[in-house]
Amino acid sequence: MAEGETESPGPKKCGPYISSVTSQSVNLMIRGVVLFFNGVFLALVLNLLQIQRNVTLFPPDVIASIFSSAWWVPPCCGTASAVIGLLYPCIDRHLGEPHKFKREWSSVMRCVAVFVGINHASAKVDFDNNIQLSLTLAALSIGLWWTFDRSRSGFGLGVGIAFLATVVTQLLVYNGVYQYTSPDFLYVRSWLPCIFFAGGITMGNIGRQLAMYECKVIAKKYLLHRKTG
């Protein structure tokens, strides 16, 4: 090579930081999509249980079938599930308290099963009055948190989610979007916050598990980059 000539630089490789940022963005989107469809599926199943037992009533012209009835419920629940599932691990990182209690998929699946059972009980089990049902569901919901979460951040987020979701539901019922039979807590049932609390804990567990899986994948990619680089 002649003196003074410089070798043309080859294509630059992305460093491990850029690669990890790209991987995190892609994985964040994947987690959001998975959480969204989880929320849509659970909303379809649980909403069907409530409608069959006449717990919730939608206008007859809105309800034609499980997919055409209240079409806005599954997308809204899916969006809320994605936000909640992404928020839980984010809060854990912000507080510096990574959640390590029962971090395996079998535990997450049991949590989902218990949540479905709690919702099923709200529609199927007959109590003498709504107070007894509300106290029972409150105990079951706190038991779900204690069994599968036990974190202060999880409990606080669950309470906040239950409060916010209950307020939104009150506004929807007040504006005639749908209604509850035998409301005893303003326009809704008194046990509804318990369902929202349990749902928040469940989606938080799914989101945490997905985030932990993402961290493992990124760590493996980083170690592989270090070895090959």
Side-chain angles (χ1 to χ4, degrees):
M1 184 179 293
E3 188 176 353
E5 291 182 2
T6 58
E7 187 178 354
S8 59
K12 293 183 179 180
K13 294 183 179 180
C14 293
Y17 176 75
I18 300 298
S19 299
S20 65
V21 169
T22 304
S23 299
Q24 286 178 355
S25 301
V26 173
N27 286 325
L28 186 68
M29 206 173 353
I30 293 174
R31 280 193 286 144
V33 171
V34 171
L35 288 163
F36 175 83
F37 282 107
N38 268 291
V40 168
F41 175 75
L42 286 174
L44 287 172
V45 173
L46 301 180
N47 193 43
L48 180 60
L49 287 175
Q50 301 286 346
I51 292 174
Q52 284 181 338
R53 289 287 289 183
N54 291 325
V55 176
T56 55
L57 297 176
F58 292 89
D61 57 336
V62 177
I63 299 182
S65 66
I66 181 57
F67 292 103
S68 63
S69 70
W71 61 268
W72 49 270
V73 173
C76 289
C77 291
T79 303
S81 299
V83 172
I84 293 169
L86 296 175
L87 184 62
Y88 264 74
C90 180
I91 295 295
D92 290 339
R93 285 194 297 267
H94 181 73
L95 296 177
E97 298 177 355
H99 188 260
K100 298 180 180 179
F101 181 71
K102 291 189 176 181
R103 293 290 84 212
E104 61 271 345
W105 279 111
S106 60
S107 176
V108 174
M109 293 300 101
R110 287 195 298 271
C111 182
V112 172
V114 173
F115 169 60
V116 173
I118 291 174
N119 197 288
H120 186 70
S122 71
K124 293 287 186 181
V125 179
D126 293 323
F127 282 81
D128 293 335
N129 54 63
N130 282 333
I131 300 297
Q132 292 182 3
L133 177 59
S134 300
L135 292 176
T136 301
L137 293 181
L140 290 174
S141 299
I142 294 175
L144 181 141
W145 166 78
W146 179 256
T147 303
F148 300 104
D149 192 315
R150 295 192 187 182
S151 66
R152 292 176 297 176
S153 60
F155 186 85
L157 280 172
V159 172
I161 290 165
F163 174 78
L164 183 60
T166 302
V167 170
V168 171
T169 305
Q170 296 274 16
L171 293 174
L172 290 175
V173 176
Y174 176 78
N175 287 283
V177 178
Y178 67 104
Q179 63 182 0
Y180 281 85
T181 57
S182 305
D184 61 326
F185 180 50
L186 295 180
Y187 302 103
V188 301
R189 293 285 189 91
S190 57
W191 45 258
L192 192 62
C194 304
I195 301 297
F196 288 140
F197 175 84
I201 297 297
T202 302
M203 286 301 135
N205 270 344
I206 297 175
R208 282 166 165 167
Q209 190 66 25
L210 290 171
M212 189 179 73
Y213 178 77
E214 172 197 337
C215 290
K216 288 182 178 179
V217 171
I218 291 178
K220 287 180 181 179
K221 287 183 178 179
Y222 180 76
L223 291 175
L224 182 61
H225 187 279
R226 290 288 298 271
K227 289 181 181 178
T228 56

